[in-house]
Amino acid sequence: MAARKFLRDYLVKRVASGSIGGGIRRYSSSSSSAAPESSPRIPHFSKRGRLLTGTTLGLVIAGGAYVSTVDEATFCGWIFSASELLNPLFALLDAEFAHKLAVAASARGWVPREKRSDPSNLGLEVWGRKFSNPVGLAAGFDKNAEAVEGLLGMGFGFVEVGSVTPLPQEGNPKPRIFRLRTEGAVINRCGFNSEGIMVVAKRLGAQHGKRKLNEGSSTSPTSGDEVKHGGKAGLGILGVNLGKNKTSEDAAADYVQGVHTLSQYADYLVINVSSPNTPGLRTLQGRKQLKDLVKKVQAARDEMQWGEEGPPPLLVKIAPDLSKEDLEDIAAVALALRLDGLIISNTTISRPDVVKQNPVSVEVGGLSGKPLFNMSTNVLREMYTLTRGKIPLIGCGGINSGEDAYKKIRSGATLVQLYTGFAFGGPAIIPKIKAELSQCLERDGFKNILEAVGADCK
């Protein structure tokens, strides 16, 4: 274990430097008859130094001996729990700077890595892809696919990058991200800030090549009975969320370009037509507009060459601020065109009563976090009913616990996504939600996730 190696290296360095026992006098056979003055008095600070060294060494030995008896799962749990100590520090930072710092840390592997297996009742298969668990990270966190490996390594079942636009764009002026800490919410008006599809394609291509190389050189035996989870991103499933440029006059062309460039690296694709921060984008959710757009994007995907696994599934992400008529139109388009899935939902432009007393609530932008939970879950339940459970739905909005995730699943979600909850709770929230979700399933007698999907709609 790492603890044993650390202890060994520590002892070697201390002995080599002479700091252990460095203050002990050496005696020869002739020194015993030497005059008393040949044995100088040890200074007071040396005694303190020896005491400190001895105490430190004792603690290291005791701690190392204890850690060496702890199994890897317990040690992994400690690491995730310890990560919570950093949450107050991130809370002191500017919201967007904290976001960039978190992405950078994830990209460099300076985050906890999950070594424990997911509970068996959380595994499921959707679109022919095997998910080790249904808890994913929503688009908007890793906009430019910088930290896919680190994020999946924390234990997410899938990670969605983006939104990615064809051309690089800065997004809206700063400041553009605002925390409502008391309410557990965030308002953002980023406006699809993106490095562009070429940069993201190069990055995903390099990551894909590295994984293939590692898989080719791996000599680890695989049991014939072992279920292999994951997809093109290795350990987990990778979704790519596509957006349009702010100044583009042909939205369909933007999405088609994204499909042609990025779909080869994606386990699923998302058409984002619901961000409130790009002018005119939400009009694409209208029945005719959405139908025309989906047809063009599906055609672009299907004209490409695909292997045995076929093309990546195509999903649409919708807003929570939709009327019943709007939802009926979207459901009709989804069923008629055999859309592979819907993500419900994006942020809301409304301000629920719980946030209206907060002066930050007047900021323009989309609201996410706890106040969005009920609204997005109601839309999720309505859409599950309208689509008659025939289309996989991803529930997103306000999830902060395993019970929240479970309510989304009972309301029709096959998969769920975090964002704001992860931003506030850090890595420790991931194993917490998975463990609680597994317990919820066991409590209510469900053997797996799929048995619980839509339970409150039947």
Side-chain angles (χ1 to χ4, degrees), residues 425-440:
I429 199 174
I430 307 169
K432 171 179 173 288
I433 286 178
K434 291 191 292 184
E436 292 174 354
L437 177 56
S438 176
Q439 292 167 5
C440 288

Side-chain angles (χ1 to χ4, degrees), residues 2-38:
R4 293 171 180 163
K5 185 177 183 299
F6 168 78
L7 177 59
R8 184 182 67 250
D9 292 346
Y10 178 85
L11 290 173
V12 169
K13 290 178 182 178
R14 297 289 281 184
V15 171
S17 65
S19 57
I20 297 179
I24 299 177
R25 292 172 291 174
R26 294 178 174 84
Y27 293 90
S28 65
S29 59
S30 61
S31 64
S32 58
S33 59
E37 56 268 26
S38 64

